[in-house]
Amino acid sequence: MISMKDIAAACGVSVATVSKALSNHSDISESTKRQIKMTAEKMGYFPNQSARYLKTNRSYNIGVLFADAAGSGLTHDFFSGVLQSFKAASEAKGYDVTFLNTACSDMSYVERARYRGFDGVAVVGIDFGNPKIQELLQSSLKVVTIDYIADNRTAVLSDNMDGMYQLLNYVFDCGHTRIAYIYGDGSRVTRQRLAAYYRSMEAHGLPIRKEYVLSSLYRDMDGAYRLTNELLDLKEPPTCIIYPDDVACFGGINAIRARGLSIPEDVSVAGYDGIRAAQYEEPRLTTLYQDVRTMGEKAAFGLIEEIEKPMTTVPTIYTVKGTLIPGQTVKRL
């Protein structure tokens, strides 16, 4: 069996340097790390995980608890982007990522996380009101949350209010005053975006028209289709409709086109999330891109810092701003 001593001899460095390089320590140069890792791979070196655990008291395995309300799973563009970035950033630090079973009911999440020996857990897109989730958040385990703030926990949030302000300011600048908003189901994210809508309308001296503010589910194309028809049936329909996300916006676009209307000539629309598929639509969708890559990286690095430096790291709330994609679906009046 190849040992670190063999790798050290082959690279002409000390065993301590090999150990630090394979553990991604920052006091080793990147060129030395690359040389040692390439040599280790060529020689067929595999670290002894049991010895590693005994030495560091860490399993180098992070659990992920994920279940979105829409039931989209890993096809959910926003959450899948965050999780992919989280996985890549964790692996770059030498950690494996394992999903926790959300359907199993014989053990609590805390029990399962400890049974698997997770160093920490990322909680993403799940019902945070669930008593089992609250038990996890109140446990001694290291936890990071996505789009949710829990007491004394590191959290990564998309700046939803700023995102809505960016989107609405663009719509206002295009000359629209009759702006409808189909908002998502009840959550902290929804409340923030809805508050930003109301504040923006007030700031521009525009009345809040209740018939223009409707509730649907996220990623619900059928619901968006139905509500779009309701809006267009009004005596004074909106000139622009903002949807809770890009997928729901596709449902609204279908409803508009089914009436023989054109976008944006007859009706303007805007989505939210900035998913890749929306940018291949014709015309290209106006939307707010959420920076899923940065969110995933901050979640991974924040959690790993707590795992590796528990005495000096404090829980932090990271807020990540999005970017407006002007697109072509909002007409300049």
Side-chain angles (χ1 to χ4, degrees), residues 163-194:
M164 279 299 290
Y165 287 143
Q166 287 189 56
L167 199 56
L168 283 160
N169 285 338
Y170 177 78
V171 173
F172 288 133
D173 288 345
C174 288
H176 294 268
T177 56
R178 302 204 315 263
I179 305 165
Y181 179 35
I182 298 175
Y183 62 92
D185 50 3
S187 66
R188 176 185 170 280
V189 169
T190 299
R191 290 193 296 273
Q192 287 187 328
R193 294 184 191 176
L194 196 54

mmCIF file of all heavy atoms in Angstrom, residues 163-194:
data_model
loop_
_atom_site.group_PDB
_atom_site.id
_atom_site.type_symbol
_atom_site.label_atom_id
_atom_site.label_comp_id
_atom_site.label_asym_id
_atom_site.label_seq_id
_atom_site.Cartn_x
_atom_site.Cartn_y
_atom_site.Cartn_z
ATOM 1 N N GLY A 163 -33.840 42.619 -5.550
ATOM 2 C CA GLY A 163 -34.165 42.043 -6.849
ATOM 3 C C GLY A 163 -35.466 42.576 -7.408
ATOM 4 O O GLY A 163 -35.563 42.933 -8.597
ATOM 5 N N MET A 164 -36.490 42.653 -6.552
ATOM 6 C CA MET A 164 -37.771 43.192 -7.009
ATOM 7 C C MET A 164 -37.668 44.672 -7.336
ATOM 8 O O MET A 164 -38.272 45.161 -8.294
ATOM 9 C CB MET A 164 -38.844 42.960 -5.949
ATOM 10 C CG MET A 164 -39.441 41.570 -5.969
ATOM 11 S SD MET A 164 -40.283 41.164 -7.532
ATOM 12 C CE MET A 164 -41.712 42.233 -7.451
ATOM 13 N N TYR A 165 -36.882 45.414 -6.530
ATOM 14 C CA TYR A 165 -36.689 46.835 -6.829
ATOM 15 C C TYR A 165 -36.052 47.008 -8.206
ATOM 16 O O TYR A 165 -36.468 47.863 -8.996
ATOM 17 C CB TYR A 165 -35.798 47.491 -5.768
ATOM 18 C CG TYR A 165 -36.461 47.705 -4.421
ATOM 19 C CD1 TYR A 165 -35.743 47.534 -3.237
ATOM 20 C CD2 TYR A 165 -37.799 48.088 -4.329
ATOM 21 C CE1 TYR A 165 -36.349 47.724 -2.004
ATOM 22 C CE2 TYR A 165 -38.406 48.286 -3.095
ATOM 23 C CZ TYR A 165 -37.675 48.091 -1.931
ATOM 24 O OH TYR A 165 -38.273 48.288 -0.709
ATOM 25 N N GLN A 166 -35.025 46.200 -8.493
ATOM 26 C CA GLN A 166 -34.368 46.293 -9.801
ATOM 27 C C GLN A 166 -35.360 46.032 -10.930
ATOM 28 O O GLN A 166 -35.413 46.757 -11.934
ATOM 29 C CB GLN A 166 -33.228 45.271 -9.893
ATOM 30 C CG GLN A 166 -31.997 45.583 -9.079
ATOM 31 C CD GLN A 166 -30.864 44.632 -9.428
ATOM 32 O OE1 GLN A 166 -30.459 44.514 -10.590
ATOM 33 N NE2 GLN A 166 -30.338 43.936 -8.433
ATOM 34 N N LEU A 167 -36.147 44.981 -10.766
ATOM 35 C CA LEU A 167 -37.099 44.581 -11.801
ATOM 36 C C LEU A 167 -38.165 45.652 -11.997
ATOM 37 O O LEU A 167 -38.475 46.050 -13.131
ATOM 38 C CB LEU A 167 -37.729 43.253 -11.395
ATOM 39 C CG LEU A 167 -38.413 42.396 -12.470
ATOM 40 C CD1 LEU A 167 -37.450 42.099 -13.619
ATOM 41 C CD2 LEU A 167 -38.901 41.095 -11.850
ATOM 42 N N LEU A 168 -38.734 46.130 -10.895
ATOM 43 C CA LEU A 168 -39.804 47.128 -10.978
ATOM 44 C C LEU A 168 -39.291 48.464 -11.500
ATOM 45 O O LEU A 168 -39.972 49.124 -12.296
ATOM 46 C CB LEU A 168 -40.450 47.300 -9.608
ATOM 47 C CG LEU A 168 -41.415 46.175 -9.225
ATOM 48 C CD1 LEU A 168 -41.643 46.142 -7.726
ATOM 49 C CD2 LEU A 168 -42.737 46.325 -9.959
ATOM 50 N N ASN A 169 -38.107 48.865 -11.075
ATOM 51 C CA ASN A 169 -37.568 50.126 -11.576
ATOM 52 C C ASN A 169 -37.383 50.085 -13.091
ATOM 53 O O ASN A 169 -37.600 51.083 -13.784
ATOM 54 C CB ASN A 169 -36.242 50.453 -10.885
ATOM 55 C CG ASN A 169 -36.435 50.938 -9.457
ATOM 56 O OD1 ASN A 169 -37.510 51.417 -9.105
ATOM 57 N ND2 ASN A 169 -35.407 50.809 -8.631
ATOM 58 N N TYR A 170 -36.976 48.929 -13.597
ATOM 59 C CA TYR A 170 -36.829 48.785 -15.049
ATOM 60 C C TYR A 170 -38.190 48.912 -15.728
ATOM 61 O O TYR A 170 -38.325 49.598 -16.758
ATOM 62 C CB TYR A 170 -36.200 47.435 -15.384
ATOM 63 C CG TYR A 170 -36.079 47.187 -16.862
ATOM 64 C CD1 TYR A 170 -35.068 47.789 -17.606
ATOM 65 C CD2 TYR A 170 -36.988 46.373 -17.541
ATOM 66 C CE1 TYR A 170 -34.962 47.584 -18.978
ATOM 67 C CE2 TYR A 170 -36.889 46.154 -18.901
ATOM 68 C CZ TYR A 170 -35.877 46.765 -19.618
ATOM 69 O OH TYR A 170 -35.785 46.567 -20.969
ATOM 70 N N VAL A 171 -39.211 48.265 -15.158
ATOM 71 C CA VAL A 171 -40.567 48.328 -15.726
ATOM 72 C C VAL A 171 -41.101 49.760 -15.674
ATOM 73 O O VAL A 171 -41.713 50.238 -16.642
ATOM 74 C CB VAL A 171 -41.504 47.347 -14.982
ATOM 75 C CG1 VAL A 171 -42.953 47.529 -15.440
ATOM 76 C CG2 VAL A 171 -41.057 45.907 -15.207
ATOM 77 N N PHE A 172 -40.860 50.450 -14.544
ATOM 78 C CA PHE A 172 -41.285 51.850 -14.434
ATOM 79 C C PHE A 172 -40.578 52.704 -15.482
ATOM 80 O O PHE A 172 -41.187 53.561 -16.129
ATOM 81 C CB PHE A 172 -40.971 52.399 -13.037
ATOM 82 C CG PHE A 172 -41.857 51.863 -11.947
ATOM 83 C CD1 PHE A 172 -41.309 51.402 -10.765
ATOM 84 C CD2 PHE A 172 -43.239 51.817 -12.093
ATOM 85 C CE1 PHE A 172 -42.114 50.900 -9.750
ATOM 86 C CE2 PHE A 172 -44.059 51.326 -11.083
ATOM 87 C CZ PHE A 172 -43.494 50.865 -9.912
ATOM 88 N N ASP A 173 -39.266 52.490 -15.643
ATOM 89 C CA ASP A 173 -38.488 53.269 -16.611
ATOM 90 C C ASP A 173 -38.982 53.056 -18.039
ATOM 91 O O ASP A 173 -38.793 53.922 -18.902
ATOM 92 C CB ASP A 173 -37.001 52.902 -16.519
ATOM 93 C CG ASP A 173 -36.349 53.425 -15.252
ATOM 94 O OD1 ASP A 173 -36.945 54.303 -14.593
ATOM 95 O OD2 ASP A 173 -35.243 52.953 -14.911
ATOM 96 N N CYS A 174 -39.585 51.896 -18.265
ATOM 97 C CA CYS A 174 -40.144 51.626 -19.596
ATOM 98 C C CYS A 174 -41.506 52.286 -19.779
ATOM 99 O O CYS A 174 -42.138 52.142 -20.845
ATOM 100 C CB CYS A 174 -40.263 50.119 -19.818
ATOM 101 S SG CYS A 174 -38.672 49.293 -20.074
ATOM 102 N N GLY A 175 -42.001 52.973 -18.754
ATOM 103 C CA GLY A 175 -43.235 53.746 -18.873
ATOM 104 C C GLY A 175 -44.495 53.069 -18.364
ATOM 105 O O GLY A 175 -45.594 53.620 -18.509
ATOM 106 N N HIS A 176 -44.370 51.907 -17.742
ATOM 107 C CA HIS A 176 -45.554 51.176 -17.274
ATOM 108 C C HIS A 176 -46.006 51.679 -15.898
ATOM 109 O O HIS A 176 -45.187 51.926 -15.019
ATOM 110 C CB HIS A 176 -45.262 49.682 -17.202
ATOM 111 C CG HIS A 176 -45.009 49.057 -18.531
ATOM 112 N ND1 HIS A 176 -45.995 48.477 -19.292
ATOM 113 C CD2 HIS A 176 -43.854 48.943 -19.249
ATOM 114 C CE1 HIS A 176 -45.474 48.021 -20.417
ATOM 115 N NE2 HIS A 176 -44.170 48.297 -20.424
ATOM 116 N N THR A 177 -47.315 51.815 -15.743
ATOM 117 C CA THR A 177 -47.901 52.168 -14.449
ATOM 118 C C THR A 177 -48.965 51.153 -14.033
ATOM 119 O O THR A 177 -49.274 51.036 -12.848
ATOM 120 C CB THR A 177 -48.542 53.569 -14.496
ATOM 121 O OG1 THR A 177 -49.512 53.618 -15.557
ATOM 122 C CG2 THR A 177 -47.478 54.642 -14.727
ATOM 123 N N ARG A 178 -49.518 50.430 -14.992
ATOM 124 C CA ARG A 178 -50.504 49.386 -14.679
ATOM 125 C C ARG A 178 -49.755 48.051 -14.643
ATOM 126 O O ARG A 178 -49.648 47.333 -15.636
ATOM 127 C CB ARG A 178 -51.640 49.354 -15.714
ATOM 128 C CG ARG A 178 -52.376 50.681 -15.833
ATOM 129 C CD ARG A 178 -53.797 50.550 -16.363
ATOM 130 N NE ARG A 178 -53.941 49.673 -17.504
ATOM 131 C CZ ARG A 178 -53.985 50.069 -18.788
ATOM 132 N NH1 ARG A 178 -53.835 51.355 -19.077
ATOM 133 N NH2 ARG A 178 -54.160 49.203 -19.751
ATOM 134 N N ILE A 179 -49.199 47.761 -13.451
ATOM 135 C CA ILE A 179 -48.307 46.600 -13.295
ATOM 136 C C ILE A 179 -48.949 45.595 -12.350
ATOM 137 O O ILE A 179 -49.227 45.904 -11.184
ATOM 138 C CB ILE A 179 -46.941 47.037 -12.738
ATOM 139 C CG1 ILE A 179 -46.330 48.128 -13.628
ATOM 140 C CG2 ILE A 179 -46.003 45.847 -12.620
ATOM 141 C CD1 ILE A 179 -45.183 48.870 -12.970
ATOM 142 N N ALA A 180 -49.178 44.402 -12.837
ATOM 143 C CA ALA A 180 -49.735 43.330 -12.007
ATOM 144 C C ALA A 180 -48.605 42.456 -11.486
ATOM 145 O O ALA A 180 -47.550 42.343 -12.117
ATOM 146 C CB ALA A 180 -50.717 42.497 -12.821
ATOM 147 N N TYR A 181 -48.862 41.844 -10.340
ATOM 148 C CA TYR A 181 -47.861 40.945 -9.756
ATOM 149 C C TYR A 181 -48.541 39.669 -9.280
ATOM 150 O O TYR A 181 -49.390 39.691 -8.401
ATOM 151 C CB TYR A 181 -47.138 41.628 -8.592
ATOM 152 C CG TYR A 181 -46.095 40.770 -7.915
ATOM 153 C CD1 TYR A 181 -45.317 39.864 -8.641
ATOM 154 C CD2 TYR A 181 -45.878 40.862 -6.554
ATOM 155 C CE1 TYR A 181 -44.349 39.086 -8.026
ATOM 156 C CE2 TYR A 181 -44.909 40.084 -5.914
ATOM 157 C CZ TYR A 181 -44.151 39.199 -6.654
ATOM 158 O OH TYR A 181 -43.204 38.425 -6.039
ATOM 159 N N ILE A 182 -48.174 38.549 -9.907
ATOM 160 C CA ILE A 182 -48.611 37.229 -9.435
ATOM 161 C C ILE A 182 -47.495 36.724 -8.534
ATOM 162 O O ILE A 182 -46.403 36.423 -9.002
ATOM 163 C CB ILE A 182 -48.852 36.269 -10.613
ATOM 164 C CG1 ILE A 182 -49.962 36.804 -11.525
ATOM 165 C CG2 ILE A 182 -49.214 34.877 -10.100
ATOM 166 C CD1 ILE A 182 -50.191 35.976 -12.786
ATOM 167 N N TYR A 183 -47.768 36.650 -7.246
ATOM 168 C CA TYR A 183 -46.715 36.291 -6.289
ATOM 169 C C TYR A 183 -46.839 34.832 -5.857
ATOM 170 O O TYR A 183 -47.875 34.194 -6.026
ATOM 171 C CB TYR A 183 -46.749 37.213 -5.072
ATOM 172 C CG TYR A 183 -48.007 37.168 -4.253
ATOM 173 C CD1 TYR A 183 -48.131 36.306 -3.167
ATOM 174 C CD2 TYR A 183 -49.080 38.012 -4.542
ATOM 175 C CE1 TYR A 183 -49.278 36.270 -2.400
ATOM 176 C CE2 TYR A 183 -50.238 37.985 -3.788
ATOM 177 C CZ TYR A 183 -50.341 37.116 -2.713
ATOM 178 O OH TYR A 183 -51.479 37.066 -1.955
ATOM 179 N N GLY A 184 -45.767 34.295 -5.317
ATOM 180 C CA GLY A 184 -45.711 32.884 -4.947
ATOM 181 C C GLY A 184 -46.382 32.576 -3.619
ATOM 182 O O GLY A 184 -46.978 33.456 -2.982
ATOM 183 N N ASP A 185 -46.280 31.331 -3.194
ATOM 184 C CA ASP A 185 -46.920 30.906 -1.952
ATOM 185 C C ASP A 185 -46.244 31.539 -0.737
ATOM 186 O O ASP A 185 -45.155 32.091 -0.816
ATOM 187 C CB ASP A 185 -46.908 29.376 -1.824
ATOM 188 C CG ASP A 185 -45.520 28.792 -2.066
ATOM 189 O OD1 ASP A 185 -44.587 29.571 -2.265
ATOM 190 O OD2 ASP A 185 -45.385 27.558 -2.059
ATOM 191 N N GLY A 186 -46.920 31.472 0.400
ATOM 192 C CA GLY A 186 -46.462 32.164 1.606
ATOM 193 C C GLY A 186 -45.112 31.694 2.107
ATOM 194 O O GLY A 186 -44.933 30.528 2.443
ATOM 195 N N SER A 187 -44.150 32.577 2.148
ATOM 196 C CA SER A 187 -42.819 32.290 2.668
ATOM 197 C C SER A 187 -42.131 33.623 2.911
ATOM 198 O O SER A 187 -42.619 34.690 2.516
ATOM 199 C CB SER A 187 -41.997 31.459 1.666
ATOM 200 O OG SER A 187 -41.729 32.221 0.503
ATOM 201 N N ARG A 188 -41.001 33.563 3.568
ATOM 202 C CA ARG A 188 -40.229 34.783 3.811
ATOM 203 C C ARG A 188 -39.842 35.441 2.485
ATOM 204 O O ARG A 188 -39.905 36.664 2.343
ATOM 205 C CB ARG A 188 -38.978 34.438 4.617
ATOM 206 C CG ARG A 188 -38.038 35.601 4.847
ATOM 207 C CD ARG A 188 -36.764 35.161 5.546
ATOM 208 N NE ARG A 188 -35.800 36.225 5.551
ATOM 209 C CZ ARG A 188 -35.019 36.540 4.523
ATOM 210 N NH1 ARG A 188 -35.105 35.843 3.408
ATOM 211 N NH2 ARG A 188 -34.157 37.530 4.602
ATOM 212 N N VAL A 189 -39.442 34.639 1.520
ATOM 213 C CA VAL A 189 -39.065 35.150 0.200
ATOM 214 C C VAL A 189 -40.227 35.897 -0.427
ATOM 215 O O VAL A 189 -40.082 37.021 -0.932
ATOM 216 C CB VAL A 189 -38.615 33.990 -0.715
ATOM 217 C CG1 VAL A 189 -38.469 34.465 -2.156
ATOM 218 C CG2 VAL A 189 -37.306 33.395 -0.220
ATOM 219 N N THR A 190 -41.420 35.298 -0.393
ATOM 220 C CA THR A 190 -42.602 35.912 -0.983
ATOM 221 C C THR A 190 -42.946 37.216 -0.288
ATOM 222 O O THR A 190 -43.261 38.226 -0.942
ATOM 223 C CB THR A 190 -43.799 34.948 -0.900
ATOM 224 O OG1 THR A 190 -43.487 33.767 -1.632
ATOM 225 C CG2 THR A 190 -45.057 35.582 -1.476
ATOM 226 N N ARG A 191 -42.898 37.218 1.040
ATOM 227 C CA ARG A 191 -43.245 38.432 1.796
ATOM 228 C C ARG A 191 -42.303 39.580 1.450
ATOM 229 O O ARG A 191 -42.729 40.739 1.341
ATOM 230 C CB ARG A 191 -43.212 38.140 3.296
ATOM 231 C CG ARG A 191 -44.344 37.220 3.768
ATOM 232 C CD ARG A 191 -44.466 37.204 5.280
ATOM 233 N NE ARG A 191 -43.290 36.653 5.931
ATOM 234 C CZ ARG A 191 -43.090 35.365 6.178
ATOM 235 N NH1 ARG A 191 -43.995 34.482 5.805
ATOM 236 N NH2 ARG A 191 -41.995 34.942 6.783
ATOM 237 N N GLN A 192 -41.033 39.270 1.270
ATOM 238 C CA GLN A 192 -40.074 40.317 0.926
ATOM 239 C C GLN A 192 -40.356 40.886 -0.464
ATOM 240 O O GLN A 192 -40.341 42.106 -0.658
ATOM 241 C CB GLN A 192 -38.657 39.762 0.990
ATOM 242 C CG GLN A 192 -38.149 39.522 2.393
ATOM 243 C CD GLN A 192 -36.687 39.123 2.411
ATOM 244 O OE1 GLN A 192 -36.188 38.487 1.497
ATOM 245 N NE2 GLN A 192 -35.978 39.495 3.467
ATOM 246 N N ARG A 193 -40.593 40.013 -1.416
ATOM 247 C CA ARG A 193 -40.846 40.490 -2.783
ATOM 248 C C ARG A 193 -42.149 41.282 -2.859
ATOM 249 O O ARG A 193 -42.235 42.298 -3.560
ATOM 250 C CB ARG A 193 -40.890 39.309 -3.754
ATOM 251 C CG ARG A 193 -39.558 38.591 -3.901
ATOM 252 C CD ARG A 193 -39.648 37.496 -4.947
ATOM 253 N NE ARG A 193 -38.475 36.629 -4.936
ATOM 254 C CZ ARG A 193 -38.326 35.558 -5.698
ATOM 255 N NH1 ARG A 193 -39.300 35.208 -6.530
ATOM 256 N NH2 ARG A 193 -37.226 34.825 -5.629
ATOM 257 N N LEU A 194 -43.160 40.815 -2.132
ATOM 258 C CA LEU A 194 -44.446 41.498 -2.139
ATOM 259 C C LEU A 194 -44.318 42.874 -1.494
ATOM 260 O O LEU A 194 -44.878 43.866 -1.988
ATOM 261 C CB LEU A 194 -45.477 40.646 -1.393
ATOM 262 C CG LEU A 194 -46.959 40.980 -1.590
ATOM 263 C CD1 LEU A 194 -47.326 40.992 -3.064
ATOM 264 C CD2 LEU A 194 -47.820 39.981 -0.830
#
